[in-house]
Amino acid sequence: MEELACIMEIMDVNASGTLSMDEFTNAMENDRVIHAMLSLGVDIKDAELFFKTLAASNDSEEVSVDDFATQVIRMKGAASSVDLHGLILQTTTLQRHVGNLRDAQLQIQEAIVEVLNLVRAERRLQGGQGMAAVPRAPPVPLGARAEAIDAWCLPSSMAEGRGRASH
């Protein structure tokens, strides 16, 4: 671990206590650093992917030197078949959940559009009071419903804050 900490200090060019993608990828172009990592049992084939994987666990573009060293130790050695099968299972499960969330989101968006249309129809029956404040939304493909709902339903200040045109 002490050897790895020394390597991390060398990689941390600006002595910030964190490693950036540039610092890491530049260090991984140095044969001495590559050899030192290999001697620790860490074989890095793709420096960018390796860094992104470590940084993703912190949800940051930079990783503290200590966290980086800890994560490197965890990624040391070859992945076993059990490791790979576990990752495949997790990925498959996540994909299914994301698909279910997307389907549910589309159903909610369709329900919102229906409610808005019912409100408009009710206002028309009441003599058109307030119709100017709620313009009729044009038909929108399912994938773009969220943006259409934001654009037509949010107050103009919020729609502009989200970078969408207000109506």
Side-chain angles (χ1 to χ4, degrees):
M1 185 74 169
E2 204 173 296
E3 198 174 326
L4 183 57
C6 181
I7 295 168
M8 296 296 123
E9 284 182 36
I10 292 168
M11 288 182 180
D12 184 15
V13 176
N14 63 3
S16 64
T18 62
L19 289 178
S20 67
M21 169 84 79
D22 287 338
E23 286 176 318
F24 181 70
T25 54
N26 289 336
M28 291 309 299
E29 292 173 4
N30 181 320
D31 288 337
R32 287 184 177 169
V33 172
I34 293 170
H35 179 70
M37 296 294 276
L38 285 171
S39 71
L40 293 170
V42 181
D43 186 11
I44 300 172
K45 304 276 189 230
D46 182 339
E48 270 191 46
L49 178 61
F50 189 86
F51 185 86
K52 285 178 183 177
T53 302
L54 294 179
S57 66
N58 295 336
D59 198 26
S60 175
E61 290 184 17
E62 292 197 351
V63 180
S64 79
V65 171
D66 293 335
D67 288 345
F68 193 89
T70 302
Q71 293 289 342
V72 165
I73 294 298
R74 288 180 51 202
M75 294 179 77
K76 185 176 170 177
S80 70
S81 180
V82 171
D83 294 333
L84 296 177
H85 286 290
L87 289 173
I88 290 168
L89 175 62
Q90 287 176 345
T91 302
T92 303
T93 303
L94 283 172
Q95 286 174 331
R96 186 179 60 241
H97 288 300
V98 167
N100 291 343
L101 286 171
R102 184 180 51 236
D103 293 343
Q105 179 186 20
L106 290 174
Q107 290 175 354
I108 291 169
Q109 290 170 348
E110 288 172 354
I112 289 171
V113 169
E114 280 184 45
V115 168
L116 288 173
N117 288 335
L118 289 172
V119 167
R120 286 185 190 101
E122 180 67 28
R123 286 185 179 170
R124 252 184 258 126
L125 289 174
Q126 293 176 359
Q129 293 176 346
M131 284 302 294
V134 184
R136 176 79 178 144
V140 179
L142 282 180
R145 288 265 166 100
E147 285 138 14
I149 290 169
D150 282 353
W152 286 95
C153 301
L154 290 177
S156 60
S157 61
M158 288 180 70
E160 289 167 1
R162 288 182 153 187
R164 295 187 177 103
S166 62
H167 297 273

